[in-house]
Amino acid sequence: MSTATASRSSTRPAAAVPTARRPRPAFVPTAVLLIGAVYCLLPVAWVVAASTKAGSTLFTSFTFAPSGSFFDNVGELSDYGGGIYWRWMVNTALYAGVGAGLSAGLSGLSGYTLAKYRFAGRSVIFNVLLAGVLVPGIVLAIPQYLMLAKVGLTNTYWSVLLPSIVSPYGIYLARIYAAAAVPDTIVEAARVDGASEFRIFRSVALPMMVPGMITVFLVQFVAIWNNFLLPFIMLADDRKFPVTLGLYTLLNRGATEPALYSLVITGALLSMIPLVAVFLTLQRYWRVDLLSGAVKS
């Protein structure tokens, strides 16, 4: 009987093992992403192609057909106004670099304070910051001009730097990041060891907040680099202009001097290179942070 049972069980078909299904390609999201990429990159492609054309062929040749006048355009742009374009680039680097650096430092300290300390009015301050995030910069430009005019700082570098240092969004982002990235137990352990509050922030909290501070720096750097309205209101001396305002003046002169259009396009292309370089340089901090988090978990 046992032999018959064994033979019967041996002839029974084995249960089918379920096979893992291959994920279906998401055509709709991929198509949407491709359309968005084309929409974003098409103007860049036009700027690259147009910067290679001379002023005489800028509007007569095919839009995306490149030419061989790029270096001639760069030379003419460098010679225009005694090289004032490069002065605009240096001014922009000063406004964006110093302003974003000070803003990241202030945002980090303020965000850490709001996240790790309990004091009267903390919720009110945080809610005011949230309201400040919703206020467009154009609404504050005229009041800022009037306040700086009272102390005689208009038409100076400070008139562009000072309003760029305080960023409600940067403080909000730093506060959220500090609350998530800096454990309370580590802060308490540092206090037990006798470290001062500023040393705890500088030596313990700040290294943990580096990816968040890099994000604040990049957001502010791009915002200040592309800022037009604030310098337009504050500055009258063209030697203090950032590149956005300087190219705007060249564009206005292009109505009477059409040859300047090619210089404006070439200047716009050159002004994008520092932004790309900054992003490629600083993105490693995000990658390192993600890898370290994966290893720790």
Side-chain angles (χ1 to χ4, degrees), residues 16-277:
V17 178
T19 58
R21 293 183 178 180
R22 293 183 179 180
R24 296 180 179 179
F27 292 107
V28 174
T30 303
V32 172
L33 289 176
L34 288 176
I35 293 173
V38 171
Y39 176 80
C40 294
L41 294 177
L42 200 62
V44 178
W46 180 87
V47 170
V48 173
S51 64
T52 64
K53 301 179 182 180
S56 58
T57 61
L58 182 60
F59 299 107
T60 57
S61 60
F62 178 67
T63 302
F64 294 100
S67 184
S69 301
F70 175 73
F71 292 104
D72 295 335
N73 292 337
V74 173
E76 294 179 14
L77 181 64
S78 300
D79 295 337
Y80 182 84
I84 196 170
Y85 173 80
W86 300 110
R87 178 65 178 264
W88 295 338
M89 289 286 285
V90 172
N91 292 341
T92 308
L94 173 66
Y95 294 140
V98 176
L102 293 176
S103 179
L106 179 62
S107 298
L109 182 59
S110 303
Y112 172 79
T113 301
L114 290 172
K116 297 302 176 182
Y117 292 94
R118 304 293 183 268
F119 53 89
R122 188 183 72 149
S123 299
V124 175
I125 294 174
F126 187 66
N127 290 332
V128 170
L129 284 173
L130 289 179
V133 174
L134 302 177
V135 177
I138 190 173
V139 176
L140 302 176
I142 299 301
Q144 288 170 349
Y145 173 81
L146 296 176
M147 288 189 296
L148 292 174
K150 288 288 186 181
V151 294
L153 289 180
T154 55
N155 198 29
T156 64
Y157 289 102
W158 291 109
S159 63
V160 179
L161 277 174
L162 289 178
S164 305
I165 294 175
V166 180
S167 170
Y169 177 73
I171 297 175
Y172 166 76
L173 186 62
R175 191 263 184 193
I176 299 300
Y177 196 88
V182 183
D184 294 335
T185 54
I186 294 180
V187 176
E188 292 298 331
R191 288 172 181 164
V192 171
D193 291 340
S196 64
E197 295 297 328
F198 182 74
R199 185 177 181 183
I200 294 173
F201 169 73
R202 177 173 54 86
S203 302
V204 178
L206 192 58
M208 298 179 180
M209 296 173 59
V210 166
M213 296 304 94
I214 293 297
T215 303
V216 174
F217 177 85
L218 286 176
V219 170
Q220 279 297 98
F221 188 89
V222 174
I224 298 171
W225 189 279
N226 294 327
N227 195 3
F228 169 78
L229 180 65
L230 184 65
F232 181 75
I233 294 174
M234 296 291 183
L235 301 176
D237 184 3
D238 61 351
R239 297 190 65 81
K240 297 184 177 68
F241 285 176
V243 68
T244 52
L245 187 55
L247 292 178
Y248 172 76
T249 59
L250 284 183
L251 187 63
N252 285 341
R253 295 174 188 173
T256 56
E257 302 177 52
L260 293 179
Y261 284 132
S262 59
L263 302 187
V264 173
I265 296 172
T266 304
L269 176 64
L270 295 177
S271 68
M272 292 189 296
I273 296 177
L275 293 177
V276 176

